[in-house]
Amino acid sequence: MMGTAGPFLPRGRDRPEERRRRVAPLAAAPPEGEEEPLLRGIFEIGKTSCDVVLSARRLRWSPIVPESPAGDSSTALQVKEEIIEMKDVFSVKVKRRRFVGQKKGGTLLGITIFKCLHKEENKLTDCAIHLNNFSEDHCHSWFRRLKEILNGFQNRPKSLKVFVNPSSHKREATRIYYEQVSPLFKLADIKTDVTVTEYEGHALSVLKECELQAFDGVVCVGGDGFVSEVVHGLLLKAQIDAGKGTDYIPAPVRAPVPLGVIPAGTTNILAYTLYGIKHTVTATLHIVMGHIQPVDACTFSTPSRLLRFGFSAMFGFGARTLALAEKHRWMPSSQRKDFAFIKTLADLKKKKRKNKKKGSKDQWHKIQGDFLNVSIMAIPCLCSMAPRGLAPNTRLNNGSMALIVVRNTSRTEFIKHLKRYASVKNQFSFPFVETYTVQEVKVQPRIKSGLDAKENTDLNATAAEENYPWNIDGDLVEASEVHVRVHPQLIHLYGVNTDDLESSKATCNCI
């Protein structure tokens, strides 16, 4: 049944019966093809009395225009109607005026609707629309109906398990969460259980024992390394709950709940890939709105054990840079990474590897030689230094990986290749760069000569002699032979499809 308008008595306004008004025809009856209204009433919006109509998909309003003495209806016909799509609304509250310290009761002012607003360059923000009316019955009737509509949207979380890494980047993750993320979760009536981690591997330990069925999703606040830990923990927990072994997992089961990423690191590759921007409110609103994407994930294994679940890996230059940065943890984050990048570039050395790639026809092909870098990526891996992505030709869920091998070349040519990532030019249009689309990859070392063994010791003194550094999603892992396998849509992440993102204008000045 359509609701009726309650008494609307804002201060400084005449009562409705004290003057004649004409309601714009657009609000008086639904246009052809429009849903039947659920409620219709009078509210003051922006100091203007408005005729407001609510349907299951839209909230519409138009100003109530006083009828002219001559009965001219042209003014009413020109009235602009405002429309809000209910799918963009994430919260509704009853608004009251309260004294300082007063927690309950107060003078009713009306209803406030909170909307997710899409801005330029992939940014989301929240805005409030105030519907003023002093009638308790009228406002509560509208409030209940609006809540019913919001509760009907699928994928919007009601309860979240949150992990915060207080050591990420400039140690801002805790402040970011409690000042910017938590208030939006509270506004959207999302319950949270928060763990502020105390040591490396803390999130993984908690996830192994966590009853994930109690939550609608998991959220991590931190940098790439911390996100990698949570992704691995979430997928590992899924295998444990399914009764699968965790040493060798040829066919892993999907993660039971989606994962949300709040960027609080330096590079934030996964956040850029999902949101197109490093912006806390944008990331939070994607979670609140329940924007979910199925995403391919990989298993990284040695012949004897599972190393990690993840999305991307680098061996060679990308891994040695991370290994050197980890050795200089005492330096500030940005300085440490710049130093590691420049030092690794100065000491550029080739690695003797042979790769086996498995194509779509289940046939293995061998690639052998001296490589400066090997990248294996199941997602595009966007970041500010590579706005089109480290692997721009792959997608979030196309069931394949990009294998990118950079063969031995001069330092000058290698730098030209790296610079291309920050430009609109094709970073792969060099004779020493090869790209492949694969489902599986095996990376194996050659038998090391004395020189190779000495080089490995220089590059990674903390590793066992037979191991090399691998950069898996920004986390340093030691291994020799590694088998990488992609698993389609193994996890769901809060965010949007890469193809829906606006082109980023970010550039890199690090070289």
Side-chain angles (χ1 to χ4, degrees):
M1 179 180 293
M2 186 188 298
T4 57
F8 178 57
L9 306 173
R11 295 175 179 82
R13 299 279 178 182
D14 295 333
R15 294 176 181 270
E17 63 270 20
E18 292 177 356
R19 57 175 177 160
R20 299 172 64 197
R21 294 188 176 111
R22 181 184 297 275
V23 178
L26 192 58
E32 185 177 351
E34 186 67 59
E35 294 178 306
E36 284 295 322
L38 302 173
L39 289 174
R40 183 177 182 185
I42 298 175
F43 289 90
E44 186 181 73
I45 303 175
K47 297 183 179 181
T48 301
S49 297
C50 295
D51 179 40
V52 185
V53 180
L54 174 67
S55 67
R57 292 189 299 170
R58 294 183 179 91
L59 181 71
R60 304 181 290 124
W61 70 88
S62 56
I64 298 174
V65 181
E67 183 177 326
S68 67
D72 183 9
S73 62
S74 60
T75 303
L77 292 173
Q78 295 172 6
V79 167
K80 181 181 180 182
E81 183 186 51
E82 299 284 348
I83 298 176
I84 290 178
E85 298 290 337
M86 287 303 298
K87 65 181 178 62
D88 294 329
V89 175
F90 67 89
S91 181
V92 57
K93 301 291 182 184
V94 174
K95 183 172 66 168
R96 296 182 183 275
R97 180 186 291 116
R98 289 172 178 161
F99 297 109
V100 177
Q102 184 180 2
K103 296 182 179 180
K104 294 183 179 180
T107 304
L108 177 70
L109 299 177
I111 296 172
T112 300
I113 292 172
F114 296 91
K115 173 190 172 184
C116 175
L117 187 64
H118 296 255
K119 304 189 77 174
E120 294 182 354
E121 296 185 353
N122 306 305
K123 187 177 291 186
L124 302 182
T125 188
D126 58 298
C127 66
I129 299 98
H130 302 285
L131 281 62
N132 299 318
N133 188 299
F134 302 148
S135 167
E136 290 276 357
D137 291 341
H138 186 57
C139 287
H140 281 287
S141 174
W142 277 74
F143 175 77
R144 286 192 299 269
R145 186 54 65 94
L146 286 163
K147 288 289 288 185
E148 288 174 5
I149 295 173
L150 295 185
N151 290 335
F153 288 115
Q154 300 297 315
N155 299 328
R156 294 193 179 183
K158 304 297 182 186
S159 178
L160 293 170
K161 176 62 189 175
V162 180
F163 293 95
V164 180
N165 180 11
S167 300
S168 291
H169 191 34
K170 298 179 181 179
R171 303 183 181 274
E172 293 181 338
T174 305
R175 180 189 60 79
I176 286 173
Y177 176 74
Y178 285 107
E179 292 184 6
Q180 299 184 56
V181 181
S182 180
L184 282 172
F185 284 166
K186 184 177 180 180
L187 186 62
D189 298 318
I190 298 173
K191 297 179 180 179
T192 56
D193 182 83
V194 182
T195 297
V196 179
T197 57
E198 299 175 2
Y199 53 88
E200 186 177 349
H202 188 181
L204 177 60
S205 298
V206 172
L207 279 167
K208 285 182 178 179
E209 305 298 327
C210 185
E211 298 295 332
L212 290 175
Q213 64 268 24
F215 303 100
D216 298 318
V218 173
V219 173
C220 58
V221 187
D224 289 334
F226 186 61
V227 172
S228 173
E229 178 184 334
V230 175
V231 167
H232 177 64
L234 185 57
L235 284 166
L236 194 64
K237 172 63 173 175
Q239 313 317 308
I240 294 171
D241 288 347
K244 289 180 172 286
T246 55
D247 288 335
Y248 177 70
I249 311 176
V253 299
R254 288 182 170 89
V257 294
L259 173 67
V261 178
I262 305 296
T266 305
T267 312
N268 303 292
I269 282 179
L270 194 54
Y272 268 104
T273 303
L274 293 168
Y275 316 131
I277 190 173
K278 179 189 175 183
H279 187 247
T280 301
V281 172
T282 296
T284 306
L285 286 173
H286 278 299
I287 297 170
V288 168
M289 302 299 291
H291 298 158
I292 293 178
Q293 293 294 323
V295 179
D296 301 339
C298 305
T299 47
F300 300 89
S301 308
T302 69
S304 60
R305 66 187 177 94
L306 172 72
L307 290 173
R308 187 66 63 98
F309 286 99
F311 302 105
S312 66
M314 286 188 284
F315 173 83
F317 180 81
R320 294 198 302 271
T321 300
L322 178 63
L324 188 59
E326 290 297 311
K327 284 184 179 180
H328 294 77
R329 274 279 173 184
W330 53 271
M331 297 175 67
S333 177
S334 58
Q335 294 181 23
R336 179 174 71 244
K337 293 193 174 184
D338 288 345
F339 165 78
F341 178 87
I342 295 171
K343 183 70 165 63
T344 306
L345 195 59
D347 297 336
L348 192 64
K349 298 174 182 177
K350 61 182 181 291
K351 301 299 291 183
K352 296 180 183 293
R353 304 293 279 189
K354 57 181 179 180
N355 301 321
K356 288 183 179 179
K357 66 184 181 69
K358 194 173 185 180
S360 58
K361 296 183 180 180
D362 292 336
Q363 296 179 341
W364 285 98
H365 303 276
K366 183 183 292 186
I367 308 167
Q368 187 169 309
D370 298 333
F371 305 120
L372 294 179
N373 193 71
V374 176
S375 298
I376 306 162
M377 298 178 174
I379 62 175
C381 295
L382 278 64
C383 63
S384 61
M385 295 174 289
R388 295 184 298 111
L390 298 175
N393 296 328
T394 192
R395 293 295 180 266
L396 290 177
N397 48 29
N398 62 354
S400 65
M401 302 179 293
L403 170 63
I404 305 163
V405 296
V406 181
R407 292 186 179 272
N408 188 33
T409 188
S410 67
R411 183 180 292 106
T412 300
E413 289 299 301
F414 186 61
I415 290 174
K416 288 180 181 178
H417 162 65
L418 294 179
K419 279 188 170 184
R420 288 277 184 93
Y421 281 96
S423 72
V424 296
K425 295 181 179 179
N426 184 358
Q427 62 262 41
F428 306 132
S429 60
F430 292 93
F432 53 87
V433 180
E434 301 169 16
T435 62
Y436 306 89
T437 299
V438 298
Q439 280 74 45
E440 290 185 54
V441 178
K442 290 181 180 178
V443 181
Q444 300 171 315
R446 288 188 189 177
I447 298 174
K448 293 180 292 189
S449 65
L451 177 62
D452 289 330
K454 179 178 183 301
E455 178 181 303
N456 181 55
T457 303
D458 290 340
L459 291 172
N460 187 20
T462 61
E465 184 178 341
E466 70 275 10
N467 284 347
Y468 298 86
W470 278 79
N471 180 343
I472 300 180
D473 291 333
D475 204 12
L476 185 64
V477 177
E478 305 290 346
S480 179
E481 179 180 335
V482 174
H483 183 184
V484 186
R485 187 186 282 116
V486 68
H487 305 279
Q489 302 184 18
L490 191 61
I491 191 171
H492 283 76
L493 302 177
Y494 290 105
V496 295
N497 193 293
T498 312
D499 294 332
D500 297 332
L501 297 174
E502 295 181 20
S503 298
S504 173
K505 298 179 181 179
T507 58
C508 172
N509 297 315
C510 58
I511 302 176

